[in-house]
Amino acid sequence: MLNLERLRTLDALARHGSVSAAAEGLHVTTSAVSQQMAKLEREVGQQLLAKYGRGVRLTDAGRLLADHAARILSQVELAQADIEAQRGQVVGEARIGAFPTAARGLFPEALAALRDTHPELRVRSVEVEPEDAVRQVVRGDLDLAVVLDWSNKRLPVPGGLARARLLDDAADVAMHADHPLAASAEVDLEDFADDPWVSWPEGEFCYEWLVFTLRAKGVEPRIAHMAGEHHTQLALIAAGMGVCVTPRLGRGPVPEGVRFVPVRQKMHRHIYAIWRSDADRRPSIRAAVEALHQAAASVAGL
């Protein structure tokens, strides 16, 4: 009889690609992963891992069993969802992630509502960028994540995930109060062709969006500074270091000397929650989505 926890370890190895990454994903030690795999190899009577450089790789038998393990674990998740749905109680643990401005703008109200309404539900939250959040939901490391699209650039979301729209979040151009356009009612992005830009870090989804959007308007962006936190970006703007695009959700306190001007051709982020379709009937998922909807409704007028 195959042991479910050992199959879960094999699945984590297949998804993460290394013993150390699998251990981190499972919140156990690397020694525990190695022990579970050794026991699983004895159970099936075949070698599942082979040394590869300084690491390991799955053998043909390992890949075959890992494919079965993924399907088995999906069925287990479906069974758990059905049992929870039949019981109708919001209990257990929910692991939820969101990109920083959504975590700041939505999580305080949503998580407080979950705590007050469903005291037997344990919620763990984490900040995570959209593309990584998608991968973590697919892998099962997160139960639900809040992610985003820009109006002109979609986030790739694979099949097998359900989604719920939360809100559309407008964005403005932030500049120093001394900027020639600071008193304008509206601006075009092309107006800032000669300005230095403060951007998200290279490789992040929003960085790619900014470069894509400016180039589509014939502007080759001169990115002078990169910062992941909007508060850091605005501090740089307050120091006269350039201009940046700033969404309204989670904007928070604004440094003195910073002005926001709407863009004539509106820019929006479409913010939505995603989760695995096979967990769709879990009351905890439904409760979390409802709490996020309520939090989004309270800030939708931004």
Side-chain angles (χ1 to χ4, degrees):
M1 181 68 68
L2 294 173
N3 179 280
L4 189 61
E5 286 309 307
R6 288 166 201 155
L7 290 179
R8 199 180 302 279
T9 302
L10 175 63
D11 178 66
L13 263 171
R15 289 186 286 105
H16 292 283
S18 72
V19 171
S20 59
E24 184 178 352
L26 293 169
H27 306 289
V28 299
T29 64
T30 55
S31 168
V33 170
S34 298
Q35 290 173 15
Q36 289 282 58
M37 290 305 301
K39 291 177 180 177
L40 186 57
E41 285 183 328
R42 289 197 294 271
E43 286 178 351
V44 299
Q46 292 195 60
Q47 185 179 1
L48 303 175
L49 294 179
K51 289 186 177 180
Y52 184 74
R54 294 184 178 181
V56 295
R57 62 172 177 82
L58 294 178
T59 64
D60 289 344
R63 285 194 295 271
L64 177 64
L65 186 56
D67 289 341
H68 283 290
R71 290 193 291 271
I72 290 167
L73 293 171
S74 179
Q75 285 299 121
V76 169
E77 178 122 27
L78 279 171
Q80 290 174 333
D82 284 343
I83 290 296
E84 284 187 30
Q86 186 180 54
R87 186 170 52 189
Q89 296 177 334
V90 181
V91 297
E93 181 178 85
R95 300 158 298 172
I96 303 175
F99 58 95
T101 51
R104 185 164 59 247
L106 298 177
F107 273 9
E109 180 176 338
L111 300 188
L114 284 171
R115 178 200 60 202
D116 296 342
T117 309
H118 306 290
E120 293 187 39
L121 178 67
R122 299 184 307 278
V123 179
R124 292 167 50 199
S125 69
V126 63
E127 283 189 0
V128 58
E129 290 300 322
E131 290 178 310
D132 195 29
V134 170
R135 289 189 289 268
Q136 291 193 38
V137 172
V138 170
R139 291 197 306 253
D141 298 334
L142 288 174
D143 297 306
L144 180 146
V146 179
V147 297
L148 66 92
D149 287 325
W150 283 93
S151 52
N152 62 336
K153 187 173 178 63
R154 298 299 184 188
L155 177 72
V157 176
L161 297 183
R163 68 169 69 192
R165 178 188 171 276
L166 298 176
L167 76 154
D168 287 345
D169 180 33
D172 306 305
V173 176
M175 65 199 78
H176 193 274
D178 292 337
H179 193 283
L181 297 175
S184 303
E186 291 182 320
V187 292
D188 292 311
L189 290 180
E190 299 94 311
D191 297 336
F192 304 95
D194 297 325
D195 285 271
W197 282 86
V198 178
S199 168
W200 296 270
E202 188 171 0
E204 288 190 6
F205 181 70
C206 288
Y207 170 90
E208 302 296 339
W209 166 81
L210 179 63
V211 172
F212 169 81
T213 301
L214 290 172
R215 285 177 177 168
K217 294 180 177 296
V219 176
E220 183 59 37
R222 182 159 60 93
I223 296 175
H225 307 283
M226 297 182 186
E229 272 289 334
H230 285 171
H231 289 170
T232 305
Q233 293 179 9
L234 292 180
L236 292 169
I237 300 303
M241 295 294 103
V243 299
C244 72
V245 170
T246 305
R248 297 177 186 178
L249 178 65
R251 184 176 286 177
V254 178
E256 186 177 351
V258 174
R259 299 291 182 269
F260 299 101
V261 182
V263 178
R264 189 168 288 107
Q265 189 174 352
K266 303 301 182 186
M267 301 181 298
H268 288 91
R269 304 188 302 177
H270 307 299
I271 298 174
Y272 52 97
I274 59 171
W275 62 94
R276 287 168 60 105
S277 299
D278 53 18
D280 195 51
R281 294 187 291 276
R282 288 178 57 188
S284 57
I285 294 292
R286 294 184 176 275
V289 172
E290 177 59 28
L292 287 167
H293 271 304
Q294 292 175 2
S298 70
V299 300
L302 291 175

